[in-house]
Amino acid sequence: MERFIIDTDPGIDDAGALFWALATDKFHVEALTTVFGNVNVQKATANARKITHLSGRPDLPIWIGAPRPLVGEPNFAEHIHRPSGVGYWEYADPAPGTDGPTEAVQKMIELVMSNPGEISIMALAPLTNVALAISLEPKFAENVRRIIYMGGAALTWGNASPVASANIFNDPEAAQIVVQSGAKLTQVGLDVCRKFSVTPDRVEKLWTSGSPMGRALCEMIGYPDRHQDTTEMPEWKTEGMHLNDVPCVAYAINPNWFQSRHLCVDVELDGKHTRGQTVVQMIDRWGGAPNVDVLLDIDAAAVADALVESVSAFGTRD
C-alpha cells in the first residue's frame, strides 16, 4: 500500500481532501506537515489537529513547517476560507498550544531517506516545505517515491492572478525548485480542479448521511443554516463546494479518472504580470525536456460520487 506524507494548509478544500484520504483504504497516510497558505501556519496546524481528531486519527503525526515563502510575504486566503480557515465549522482544537518546534522539513527528510522509494508526498499547499527538503538533502528527490502537487494551470486561467494558481503564486521559487528536482511529479492544477465541485445535491447527501466528516464539510460552507445567505461564499452555495485539493486524493486512488500528458513545466519568477505562472510546453517546438505529468481532464462526476460515498460511510457503519 502506498504511503503518503500530506503537506497541507487547511483550508476548506484541504479538509475535504484530508477527510477522504483518512477514510480511504487505498493508501496510508503516515503523517501531515503544515505550511502557510490559506491561513497562517499556526491556524493550519490547529485545523489539521481538528481534522485528524474528527477522523479518528488523533495520534497521526502533525509536523509544523514553514511560516512564509522562500521570497517575499505570504498571501493568505481568508476571504475564501474565512478567518478560521475552515469556514463556518466550529470544532474545538483538541490539543491547543501543542504546536511544538518547526520540524516538518527535517521529519520529511528523515522519513523519506529512511524508506527509499516507499514514501510519496501529496502537496496540497505552497511547495515551501517540499522545496526545502529537496534543497537540504541532495538525494531527497531520487528517494521520494513521487510527489503529487495541487497547483498550476496549463490551459486555463489563474485564481491568484490572471495566470497563476494560488499555491504556486504563494511561493514560485519553491515551485521551481520542485519541478526542476528530477523527482517523479504530477501536477493537479486548475485544468482539472476548476472542472470539479461537490454539487448541491451531493452536499445534501453528505448532510443527510449523518457522517461526522460529511456534516463537518457541510458546516464549513454554512450548510444548511446559512445556505440562503449569499453575502459570503455565494458560489459555494449555488454551485456546490469547490474543493480544489480533492482531485489530488482522487488521482492517488484512481488515475483512470484523469487524462494526463508528460510535459515540460517551468515556473515564471520574474514577470511583472506573470510571476507564479506555470509555463507548460504543450508542443515540443522549444526543446524543453518533459518533467511533469500534467493532468488536463477529469471525470468530475465519478470523483464527486466517490468522495461522497467514502466520506458519507465514515462513522455511520455499525
Side-chain angles (χ1 to χ4, degrees):
M1 181 178 290
E2 189 167 9
R3 301 159 66 190
F4 276 96
I5 299 170
I6 300 185
D7 193 57
T8 182
D9 59 338
I12 298 171
D13 53 342
D14 298 74
L18 290 170
F19 282 148
W20 195 6
L22 295 171
T24 187
D25 59 2
K26 302 299 184 183
F27 59 78
H28 185 260
V29 181
E30 297 276 315
L32 303 184
T33 50
T34 60
V35 66
F36 78 94
N38 290 319
V39 289
N40 66 42
V41 72
Q42 290 79 20
K43 288 182 181 179
T45 304
N47 289 339
R49 284 194 294 266
K50 297 173 187 179
I51 290 163
T52 56
H53 186 267
L54 182 71
S55 302
R57 296 285 301 276
D59 298 326
L60 184 69
I62 301 172
W63 299 317
I64 188 167
R68 57 186 299 128
L70 300 181
V71 176
E73 298 297 327
N75 296 278
F76 302 128
E78 294 180 358
H79 60 292
I80 296 173
H81 300 271
R82 305 194 82 244
S84 70
V86 285
Y88 299 106
W89 186 41
E90 295 183 2
Y91 193 90
D93 184 343
T98 60
D99 284 354
T102 302
E103 60 181 358
V105 174
Q106 188 58 43
K107 291 289 190 180
M108 187 182 288
I109 290 171
E110 290 173 2
L111 189 56
V112 167
M113 297 305 293
S114 61
N115 298 274
E118 296 182 13
I119 305 297
S120 297
I121 294 173
M122 186 181 296
L124 309 179
L127 288 164
T128 314
N129 287 339
V130 183
L132 287 169
I134 290 168
S135 300
L136 291 171
E137 172 47 68
K139 294 187 177 181
F140 184 90
E142 66 185 70
N143 281 280
V144 70
R145 178 172 175 173
R146 61 172 171 165
I147 299 170
I148 303 171
Y149 66 88
M150 190 277 131
L155 298 174
T156 188
W157 60 96
N159 61 355
S161 82
V163 295
S165 69
N167 283 344
I168 308 300
F169 184 80
N170 236 330
D171 199 338
E173 282 76 13
Q176 179 69 346
I177 289 170
V178 172
V179 301
Q180 293 299 317
S181 68
K184 183 179 180 181
L185 304 172
T186 300
Q187 175 172 297
V188 185
L190 295 177
D191 300 271
V192 293
C193 298
R194 182 161 278 131
K195 299 174 183 177
F196 171 78
S197 69
V198 182
T199 53
D201 59 313
R202 293 183 175 95
V203 172
E204 185 178 3
K205 288 181 181 179
L206 285 171
W207 181 258
T208 58
S209 73
S211 159
M213 286 181 176
R215 292 224 159 184
L217 269 179
C218 293
E219 289 169 5
M220 288 180 193
I221 66 165
Y223 184 92
D225 295 343
R226 293 181 172 88
H227 192 60
Q228 303 306 318
D229 179 5
T230 58
T231 58
E232 291 188 270
M233 298 192 288
E235 69 279 5
W236 289 54
K237 297 170 184 178
T238 57
E239 301 170 16
M241 290 187 282
H242 292 279
L243 303 176
N244 284 348
D245 291 325
V246 162
C248 282
V249 178
Y251 184 76
I253 291 173
N254 183 5
N256 293 326
W257 284 325
F258 299 86
Q259 295 178 15
S260 68
R261 289 179 60 191
H262 192 53
L263 299 167
C264 178
V265 178
D266 282 296
V267 180
E268 175 58 49
L269 304 181
D270 300 316
K272 177 180 178 181
H273 301 293
T274 57
R275 178 171 163 79
Q277 180 180 14
T278 45
V279 180
V280 181
Q281 296 186 24
M282 299 302 299
I283 59 176
D284 61 5
R285 179 179 301 171
W286 298 279
N291 56 341
V292 180
D293 291 327
V294 179
L295 303 191
L296 296 171
D297 206 358
I298 180 175
D299 187 340
V303 171
D305 287 341
L307 166 71
V308 171
E309 180 181 0
S310 183
V311 169
S312 294
F314 180 87
T316 61
R317 298 190 183 101
D318 294 333

